[in-house]
Amino acid sequence: MRRYFGRKLLIYGLTFFVAVTVNWMIPRFMPGDPVSSMLSRANVAQPAAVEAMRAHYTAMFGFDLPLWQQYLNFWGSLLKGDLGISIWLFPTPVTDVIVRAVPYTLGLLIPSILLSWFAGNRFGAFAARRKWLDNSVLPVGYVLTATPYMWLAILLAWALGIVAGIFPVAGAYGFDLRPSWSWTFLGSLAQHWFLPFASLFLVAFGGWAIGMRNMIIYELEADYVNYLRALGAPARLVRRYAFRNAILPQVTGLALQLGVLVAGALVTEIVFSYPGLGHLILQAIQNQDFFLLQGTFLFIVIGVLIANFVIDIAYVLVDPRTRTGMGEAA
C-alpha cells in the first residue's frame, strides 16, 4: 500500500512540474506585449512619460531579465505562495483575484460532476433493465454526450433565457444587488447558477448513463451472473452484484473525464459571463495578463491533480481486487 501511493505521489509530482512549466511558457509565446497593453489603457499622451512608465513596469514585472532567470524567479515566488501582481487589475495580487472567482467555479463544478455521475449511473443501470426506456435513453444519451458544452449552453440561454424569459443569461446575480445573506440575493444567485449548471449536468449525465447501461448489459451476461442464477439467487441480488462490478470502470472514467469537465465548465462560464475562473482566463488573454493566466492555470492543475489522487484512493477502497494485488506484490 505504501509503495503504491509512493509511486502515485511521484507520478503526480512529475506531472505537476511539467504542467506548471508548460503553464509558465504558454503566456510568453503569446503575441503582443503586456506592458504596452497596460500603457494603452492608461491613456498617457506624453512620449517621455510613456517610456518612463514602460521602463518602470518592465523592471517591476521582471520582463527585462533573461527567460531562464524569469523561470527561476517564477519557481522561487511560487514556493513562497506569491503568484505576482495582476497586469489587468494592477496593483491587485493575483491570489486575491483568483480567491474571489474560485467559489463560483467550484459551485458549478462540484454539484455538476457529482450529481451527473450519481444520477447518470443510476439511470443507466435502470435503463438497461427496461427495453422501452433503453430504446429512448440510448439515442438521447448519445446526443447529449456528443453535444459541446458551449453549444448546449448557448441553446439553453436562448431557449430558457431569451425566448422563455425564465432564467437570466449573464452574471452570477442581479446587477442591482450586492452580495449578502438575504433571501433576495440567494434567490438571484440560484437563478443565475441554474443554466450554467444544467448545461454541464446534461452533457455529463448522457455520457455516464450510456457507459453504465453498456457495463450493466456486459455484467449481466458474465459467467458469475449465470452461476448465481443457476443457484437460484434472487434477481435483486444479481443486479446488486452486477452494479457493484459495473461501477468500477465508471470510477476510473471519472478520473479520465475530470479534465474534460473542468474545461467544459470554463467555456460555459464564458458563455454566461459567469465570474469564475473561465471568465478570468478570457480576461487575462484579452489583456495579456501573464501572471493572472499563470495563476488561474496553476489552480486548475492543482485541483485536477488533487481530485485524481482522491479518486485513486477511492478506487482502492471500493475495489477489493486492487487491495489483493497490492498485498501480493508486497
Side-chain angles (χ1 to χ4, degrees):
M1 180 79 72
R2 186 177 302 175
R3 179 182 297 179
Y4 173 80
F5 285 114
R7 289 198 303 266
K8 285 291 183 181
L9 287 175
L10 178 60
I11 293 172
Y12 282 121
L14 292 175
T15 304
F16 173 76
F17 175 77
V18 173
V20 172
T21 300
V22 174
N23 171 30
W24 178 85
M25 294 171 59
I26 288 176
R28 283 156 180 81
F29 285 104
M30 292 171 55
D33 181 11
V35 175
S36 299
S37 176
M38 187 178 183
L39 293 177
S40 65
R41 294 194 299 270
N43 293 323
V44 180
Q46 294 80 5
V50 170
E51 291 304 318
M53 293 175 64
R54 182 187 302 277
H56 171 73
Y57 287 127
T58 300
M60 184 180 67
F61 291 124
F63 295 143
D64 57 334
L65 300 174
L67 281 178
W68 65 268
Q69 193 169 350
Q70 292 185 40
Y71 178 70
L72 294 180
N73 292 341
F74 165 74
W75 275 105
S77 300
L78 180 61
L79 295 177
K80 297 176 184 177
D82 181 14
L83 300 180
I85 303 297
S86 172
I87 298 175
W88 169 47
L89 298 174
F90 184 84
T92 308
V94 169
T95 305
D96 295 345
V97 180
I98 293 177
V99 166
R100 291 198 295 263
V102 163
Y104 294 106
T105 297
L106 293 182
L108 282 180
L109 271 176
I110 295 177
S112 60
I113 290 174
L114 296 180
L115 291 178
S116 64
W117 188 82
F118 180 81
N121 285 322
R122 289 291 178 179
F123 191 76
F126 183 74
R129 306 193 304 266
R130 301 291 188 275
K131 188 173 182 180
W132 65 270
L133 189 57
D134 183 35
N135 292 333
S136 60
V137 72
L138 191 61
V140 173
Y142 277 125
V143 169
L144 287 176
T145 193
T147 302
Y149 289 97
M150 181 177 63
W151 188 85
L152 184 59
I154 294 174
L155 184 63
L156 290 177
W158 174 79
L160 299 180
I162 297 176
V163 176
I166 302 175
F167 296 101
V169 296
Y173 48 85
F175 296 110
D176 58 336
L177 299 177
R178 303 187 67 177
S180 64
W181 291 107
S182 64
W183 288 110
T184 302
F185 174 78
L186 294 178
S188 177
L189 195 68
Q191 281 186 315
H192 285 75
W193 168 85
F194 180 78
L195 285 183
F197 162 77
S199 61
L200 293 173
F201 173 84
L202 290 174
V203 175
F205 174 84
W208 298 129
I210 290 176
M212 177 53 72
R213 176 257 181 198
N214 295 336
M215 289 304 304
I216 285 292
I217 292 177
Y218 173 80
E219 291 294 333
L220 290 177
E221 297 176 354
D223 292 338
Y224 74 91
V225 171
N226 295 328
Y227 180 71
L228 287 174
R229 287 171 176 166
L231 293 178
R236 185 177 181 181
L237 179 63
V238 174
R239 289 196 300 266
R240 185 185 305 170
Y241 275 107
F243 181 81
R244 291 171 65 177
N245 284 327
I247 200 68
L248 297 177
Q250 295 293 84
V251 175
T252 306
L254 180 59
L256 297 176
Q257 290 294 319
L258 197 59
V260 178
L261 293 170
V262 172
L266 301 181
V267 174
T268 302
E269 288 178 0
I270 294 175
V271 172
F272 291 100
S273 298
Y274 205 72
L277 296 179
H279 178 72
L280 284 187
I281 290 175
L282 178 63
Q283 295 298 326
I285 293 174
Q286 290 178 342
N287 294 278
Q288 297 178 336
D289 192 339
F290 285 8
F291 304 103
L292 182 57
L293 196 60
Q294 290 172 183
T296 327
F297 283 157
L298 177 65
F299 182 86
I300 294 171
V301 167
I302 293 175
V304 171
L305 290 178
I306 291 177
N308 273 273
F309 186 69
V310 171
I311 293 173
D312 281 339
I313 296 175
Y315 194 86
V316 172
L317 296 177
V318 300
D319 189 359
R321 295 171 296 185
T322 305
R323 297 194 298 273
T324 302
M326 293 164 58
E328 292 176 355

